Amino acid sequence: MWVSLVICVGLAKGAGAQGAADRLREGFLHPPDEARPMMRWWWFGPAVTKPELRKELETMRGAGIGGVEIQPVYPMAVDDAAKDIRNLKYLSPEFLDAVGFANRTARELGMRVDITLGSGWPYGGPMTTLDLAAGCLRVTSEPVSGNRVVAPPLGPGEEMVAAFVVKGAGWKFDPATARPIDAATGKVPTGVGPRTALFFAASHTGQQVKRAAFGAEGNVLDHLSRPAIEEHLQDVAEPLLAAFGDQPPYSLFSDSLEVYGADWTANLPEEFRKRRGYDLLPHLPELVAGGTEDAASVRHDWGRTLDELIRENYLAPLAEFAAKHHTRFRSQTYGEPAVTLADQDVPQLIEGEGMQWRKFSYTRWATSAAHLYGRNVVSAETWTWLHSPAFRATPLDVKAEADRMFLLGVNQFVGHGWPYSPPSEGEPGYSFYAAAVFNQHNPWFPVMPDVMRYLTRVSWLLQQGKPANDVAILLPEDDAQAAFTPGHVSVTDEMEKRISPQLLAAVLDAGYNVDFIDAATIEKLGTVPYPVLILPPMERIPLATARLLQGQCREVQIIAVGETPWLAPGLKEQKDSPQVEEAIGHIFSGGGCRGRQVASVDALPAALHQALAADLDATGKTDGLGFIHRKLPDHDVYFVANTSNQPVEAMVRFRSDKRRVQSWSADDGAAGEDVVLDESQRMALHLEPYESRVFVLSPSSRPATPEGLLRVGAPPVAVEDLSRGWDIEFAGPHVNRGNLDSLVPWERMPDHRFFSGEAVYSRSFQYSGTGGRGLFLDFGNGDAIPDDRPEGADGTHALLNPPIREAAIVYVNGKRVGALWHPPYRLDISGLVHPGDNRLEVHVFNTAINELAGQPKRDLTQLRAKFGTRFEPQDQDRVKPVKSGMLGPVRLMRIP
């Protein structure tokens, strides 16, 4: 395809339908500010001044950014009056005054303002005393000598919970007497053989707030304790909200739950007994040893109790506090301790993180919950590790990750991020230790408005209608809880082991999109709101869920991959296990049920196709092809993206009874011609590497268009090679001009190895044609490159060496044609070219990494002597100059 398109399939007949179509078109052309991406705004120190705060907000607004999330973090410099740097103590009057000023200024500019209820993450700080700090169960063992056992000393804030003497390796405990029983014989062990004393103490993790601002240092709070969050709301949240005056923030933000090792709280034994109906203390050794069904059941009950406590004592109070203060609670509800998918119904705003499209990801975890619980807008922290180190990321990298987020169901971006950088810091200014940089210190910032327009248009479009994912995967959360061990209680970490990349790939490659669902959500909704439900290999499922699935097995196609569940989840519930096995067995034993069991994921695609026609049936060269589907009353909207560095060449068919097609461009909003598909409804699809489009379908009574969309893809032919004879002028304090016989990268030019900034390429050309219709400037395709990063490396990296490094704005005869920052590197210049002499200007921008590579490494000695080591710059071995400039070939082309 020679034009980047968004395709909308059809417009329904009738005044109402036409009105809806007009509103859809108008919204796409001029999406509201609410759809604009936001930026996490790092206030380093915080050492901020009001003039710079205003300047940065105005710069963001001009670039198409819709709002900020204020995030005070670690200092970057010691106080220096000569440089106007003064670190404002967190929650000091001066700091709160700066927050209020930033909020008022942003509101004047029509921007949204969110704030984290703390500095860094997780919540905590100097007001979090040890008794309110994150808790853990500390387990120690001592050999028993004779009949004597010496208890280990207790540390500050610790309390002994229980102690046991155990014999050998195969033991369990009698819950009635708390005495050890030999698992092999079932008898109480005698004094014969080696014995060990186990000591269980209620302790604290010792975790400190990560990346804390000056004055925000301290313990991470206990997320399982109501007194801990109440203290934080009183001492941190209330002053912050007061700084906003009568203009509360749009939302209060809680970052990912990275409370490492948190698995205990002071009243856990009492809460466990009340909720589970038995005493946990006699079973504590089973948390350590495991190895039996009973031990796994106890672990499950422990995990379920932890989940209930974090929901009731952390998530719910924050949501209630937000509502009371006329704002919203936005939460990344994943990680540890112990949260489940259903917990995401508590915050008013759901947010994900992670661009892993084809394996378990926290983003799909979040978007699934949003789909299930009716949150039409779902955000994601995006570009967190984008092409590390800082300043290395390109606009193409930005798009590559954003498109994956769209495929996962995201329709609101929170960019990571925007570093506040004082004028005294110079270029390229401050950067967060691990993130992309989106501020004006980045040389490719002049195309930021173009990048933001693309993201805003697609975000808005994907907020319309309802999600249309066909397939849900039942998360084995009960198995995950049964696998918990002291020191690590994370459902999402367990899901990464249990929802395999092969399972997700089988569903996606078969032509479906997919959500996650859990047993608690099924019970809460009373239904499975999907035509197809997949059960991955699992052992445990609640009886109520099993019976609900049995009751829906005629309406919902239930496909089990591997073993089916046969156990109830908890210890007291084991009496229900035979009924669980019976209910699940009924689903897969015929009798009118649509249940089907397959031995492995290899057989899953065929089973899915028997259950339901593919939503996007694609044949041909389709590696990297993905889609997301939204349903509107009169339209089907599909966003389709090539996530790979190779072209997609395919014949595609959407599962829709609507056949009229119109193409729209997400870059400039332009609409293509209407096309009506024939009875086969198949059409040719060509996508350049990392190219994306939207397809929307609606009814039509018109006859099919001859050749359909194939005409749009007619390849242009070269008219003239423009690769030679360019003048080049580098911007900067010392104007540097030159002539190029051929296009070469900047680092091969004298004194430009470490240049970061703008260079203007210009030349004239003669055009002897008439009308100038169907003319294009083509800058080449670029070259695919292998992924040479170590396995498991974080962040997106577009695996393409493009012909323009890294972005350009093109002018023809003094008029701006457009920006080039992603494939296809081609612009329509029809109507701007006239017979005779024509003038071209190409303004090319690279990244700041070249300039950074030419500077001495930042000396952190003085900073760390004052504030300690609060961050480590990432991937500093990769701070090297990279190829820059316009590399060609450049050709004038015409569609015949």
Side-chain angles (χ1 to χ4, degrees):
M1 184 78 66
W2 290 96
V3 185
S4 179
L5 303 176
V6 175
I7 307 236
C8 294
V9 183
L11 306 176
K13 295 185 291 183
Q18 186 58 51
D22 291 342
R23 287 191 295 272
L24 189 68
R25 174 70 184 152
E26 178 62 22
F28 185 75
L29 282 171
H30 306 290
D33 289 349
E34 291 79 10
R36 290 183 171 198
M38 296 175 56
M39 286 292 158
R40 181 170 292 179
W41 193 13
W42 293 295
W43 291 11
F44 295 105
V48 297
T49 64
K50 291 179 179 179
E52 182 62 24
L53 290 173
R54 176 175 288 278
K55 175 186 173 184
E56 294 195 7
L57 285 167
E58 290 173 345
T59 303
M60 286 187 229
R61 175 65 184 177
I65 293 167
V68 293
E69 172 200 300
I70 298 174
Q71 176 64 267
V73 289
Y74 52 83
M76 287 285 282
V78 298
D79 291 5
D80 188 335
K83 295 183 177 181
D84 199 19
I85 293 176
R86 183 166 73 95
N87 291 287
L88 308 177
K89 189 173 183 179
Y90 184 68
L91 296 183
S92 67
E94 297 86 352
F95 167 76
L96 295 174
D97 182 51
V99 170
F101 174 81
N103 181 56
R104 293 190 300 275
T105 305
R107 296 302 185 92
E108 291 169 9
L109 296 169
M111 299 175 70
R112 165 179 163 179
V113 179
D114 293 18
I115 194 164
T116 299
L117 289 185
S119 167
W121 69 98
Y123 286 178
M127 286 78 81
T128 300
T129 56
L130 188 60
D131 61 313
L132 299 176
C136 66
L137 184 66
R138 184 166 70 89
V139 185
T140 56
S141 62
E142 298 289 342
V144 176
S145 177
N147 293 320
R148 201 172 161 194
V149 179
V150 179
L154 294 175
E158 290 190 329
E159 180 182 351
M160 189 63 69
V161 173
F164 303 84
V165 176
V166 298
K167 172 183 178 291
W171 43 261
K172 61 181 182 177
F173 280 78
D174 182 344
T177 65
R179 300 181 67 188
I181 300 173
D182 189 281
T185 65
K187 298 179 180 179
V188 176
T190 65
V192 180
R195 293 184 298 162
T196 300
L198 291 179
F199 298 92
F200 295 84
S203 185
H204 297 92
T205 68
Q207 184 179 356
Q208 301 294 290
V209 173
K210 299 168 68 175
R211 322 302 173 212
F214 166 53
E217 310 87 349
N219 295 315
V220 169
L221 65 81
D222 183 354
H223 286 54
L224 307 171
S225 165
R226 188 65 175 252
I229 192 60
E230 293 291 355
E231 174 278 321
H232 192 80
L233 292 174
Q234 175 181 326
D235 293 336
V236 177
E238 289 285 4
L240 283 174
L241 267 292
F244 283 80
D246 60 357
Q247 294 181 316
Y250 185 89
S251 82
L252 311 176
F253 177 60
S254 171
D255 212 328
S256 48
L257 298 173
E258 301 176 32
V259 192
Y260 303 125
D263 58 16
W264 198 263
T265 193
N267 64 341
L268 180 60
E270 175 188 346
E271 290 292 336
F272 187 97
R273 189 181 308 109
K274 180 172 66 176
R275 296 161 187 267
R276 305 283 85 84
Y278 65 97
D279 190 354
L280 174 63
L281 296 184
H283 295 274
L284 289 179
E286 294 175 84
L287 299 187
V288 180
T292 68
E293 285 186 9
D294 280 356
S297 298
V298 171
R299 289 179 172 185
H300 169 275
D301 290 342
W302 172 48
R304 184 177 175 188
T305 303
L306 295 173
D307 171 49
E308 292 172 358
L309 291 177
I310 192 171
R311 180 169 61 247
E312 296 169 15
N313 294 332
Y314 181 78
L315 298 172
L318 283 163
E320 293 162 5
F321 177 87
K324 176 182 174 182
H325 288 80
H326 310 290
T327 181
R328 306 157 187 83
F329 176 41
R330 174 165 59 91
S331 174
Q332 294 179 6
T333 311
Y334 74 86
E336 56 183 302
V339 288
T340 63
L341 184 140
D343 293 328
Q344 298 188 87
D345 189 29
V346 178
Q348 289 90 351
L349 299 176
I350 296 173
E351 180 160 299
E353 178 186 5
M355 74 304 168
Q356 297 84 2
W357 165 51
R358 293 173 66 85
K359 64 179 183 179
F360 179 85
S361 72
Y362 309 134
T363 297
R364 196 182 295 277
W365 166 270
T367 58
S368 299
H371 295 165
L372 288 160
Y373 290 113
R375 310 300 208 279
N376 203 45
V377 176
V378 55
S379 60
E381 174 189 313
T382 313
W383 309 302
T384 303
W385 296 92
L386 187 72
H387 206 158
S388 183
F391 289 113
R392 179 62 185 89
T394 72
L396 178 57
D397 294 324
V398 171
K399 182 180 189 297
E401 181 160 321
D403 285 350
R404 293 186 183 190
M405 290 294 192
F406 286 136
L407 297 179
L408 285 161
V410 170
N411 51 25
Q412 173 73 64
F413 289 102
V414 181
H416 198 274
W418 186 286
Y420 174 99
S421 193
S424 60
E425 177 61 17
E427 299 298 339
Y430 288 161
S431 62
F432 195 60
Y433 79 101
V437 177
F438 288 86
N439 64 19
Q440 73 276 21
H441 297 277
N442 208 322
W444 55 260
F445 190 77
V447 304
M448 185 67 77
D450 301 271
V451 177
M452 293 297 109
R453 273 192 292 271
Y454 169 83
L455 298 173
T456 302
R457 281 198 176 101
V458 180
S459 293
W460 180 84
L461 197 63
L462 295 182
Q463 293 173 12
Q464 308 312 300
K466 300 292 182 182
N469 292 356
D470 294 316
V471 178
I473 296 175
L474 181 60
L475 297 174
E477 290 182 343
D478 293 292
D479 285 357
Q481 291 168 333
F484 282 180
T485 56
H488 192 70
V489 288
S490 171
V491 169
T492 45
D493 284 0
E494 284 293 322
M495 289 305 105
E496 294 186 63
K497 307 172 188 175
R498 297 167 188 272
I499 305 298
S500 69
Q502 293 77 17
L503 174 61
L504 276 170
V507 178
L508 297 172
D509 292 343
Y512 307 89
N513 217 321
V514 60
D515 281 342
F516 300 138
I517 194 170
D518 64 356
T521 298
I522 291 174
E523 292 180 33
K524 185 181 293 188
L525 299 178
T527 187
V528 177
Y530 299 88
V532 179
L533 177 69
I534 295 174
L535 307 187
M538 62 175 63
E539 296 180 356
R540 296 170 189 266
I541 191 171
L543 177 58
T545 308
R547 285 178 170 167
L548 196 151
L549 295 183
Q550 180 184 357
Q552 284 201 277
C553 67
R554 288 174 172 80
E555 294 79 34
V556 178
Q557 174 75 66
I558 301 174
I559 304 174
V561 180
E563 64 180 352
T564 58
W566 74 92
L567 289 174
L571 186 63
K572 287 280 192 178
E573 298 158 337
Q574 286 310 300
K575 61 180 174 38
D576 297 333
S577 291
Q579 298 173 76
V580 166
E581 188 169 17
E582 179 183 3
I584 295 298
H586 182 270
I587 295 171
F588 301 102
S589 61
C593 278
R594 301 181 65 205
R596 179 169 181 179
Q597 188 173 8
V598 297
S600 69
V601 294
D602 294 337
L604 183 56
L608 288 169
H609 289 151
Q610 286 187 349
L612 185 70
D615 196 0
L616 176 60
D617 183 6
T619 58
K621 189 177 178 182
T622 61
D623 289 349
L625 183 64
F627 76 97
I628 192 79
H629 177 192
R630 303 282 297 189
K631 289 195 74 70
L632 286 71
D634 302 303
H635 304 79
D636 284 309
V637 176
Y638 289 81
F639 174 80
V640 180
N642 180 2
T643 65
S644 79
N645 63 355
Q646 300 293 331
V648 164
E649 298 280 358
M651 294 298 294
V652 300
R653 177 176 181 170
F654 299 103
R655 193 184 67 233
S656 175
D657 58 356
K658 304 174 181 68
R659 293 167 51 194
R660 186 179 174 188
V661 182
Q662 190 181 44
S663 62
W664 297 349
S665 166
D667 285 309
D668 59 13
E673 69 172 306
D674 288 345
V675 173
V676 179
L677 301 174
D678 62 20
E679 291 298 327
S680 73
Q681 292 190 270
R682 288 197 171 271
M683 55 180 250
L685 175 66
H686 174 95
L687 293 175
E688 295 287 346
Y690 302 108
E691 188 180 3
S692 56
R693 303 193 206 135
V694 175
F695 294 83
V696 183
L697 294 81
S698 64
S700 176
S701 59
R702 287 169 37 191
T705 305
E707 298 183 2
L709 287 178
L710 295 176
R711 294 186 303 166
V712 182
V717 296
V719 175
E720 185 178 353
D721 190 329
L722 304 176
S723 301
R724 297 179 178 274
W726 290 88
D727 296 326
I728 187 169
E729 180 175 324
F730 288 91
H734 305 290
V735 176
N736 191 337
R737 298 184 178 90
N739 306 106
L740 298 176
D741 182 56
S742 62
L743 295 172
V744 296
W746 295 350
E747 66 269 20
R748 287 171 52 185
M749 300 178 188
D751 303 321
H752 286 85
R753 173 174 169 78
F754 299 111
F755 177 81
S756 291
E758 173 187 2
V760 179
Y761 294 75
S762 59
R763 61 156 293 164
S764 297
F765 70 93
Q766 295 290 317
Y767 181 65
S768 58
T770 58
R773 302 298 300 171
L775 280 180
F776 293 85
L777 271 178
D778 185 280
F779 292 82
N781 299 322
D783 302 307
I785 57 176
D787 191 350
D788 59 357
R789 298 175 301 167
E791 186 176 353
D794 292 313
T796 302
H797 177 181
L799 301 174
L800 186 75
N801 279 329
I804 291 193
R805 303 294 298 270
E806 300 299 337
I809 299 174
V810 179
Y811 296 83
V812 174
N813 295 324
K815 294 184 179 180
R816 188 184 194 273
V817 182
L820 294 169
W821 54 279
H822 66 80
Y825 292 91
R826 185 178 303 111
L827 287 172
D828 187 345
I829 60 172
S830 302
L832 296 176
V833 176
H834 50 251
D837 191 57
N838 293 269
R839 186 70 176 170
L840 292 179
E841 276 192 9
V842 183
H843 296 240
V844 176
F845 315 93
N846 67 342
T847 72
I849 197 73
N850 290 15
E851 181 174 10
L852 194 64
Q855 297 177 352
K857 186 177 179 181
R858 183 187 295 272
D859 184 358
L860 302 175
T861 305
Q862 189 179 15
L863 180 69
R864 289 179 172 174
K866 174 74 174 177
F867 297 108
T869 301
R870 304 197 183 194
F871 69 98
E872 288 288 349
Q874 300 293 293
D875 297 324
Q876 292 304 287
D877 59 323
R878 298 185 184 183
V879 180
K880 301 172 183 177
V882 298
K883 188 175 292 187
S884 302
M886 186 168 73
L887 308 180
V890 183
R891 293 171 296 177
L892 183 66
M893 308 191 82
R894 174 191 283 280
I895 293 181

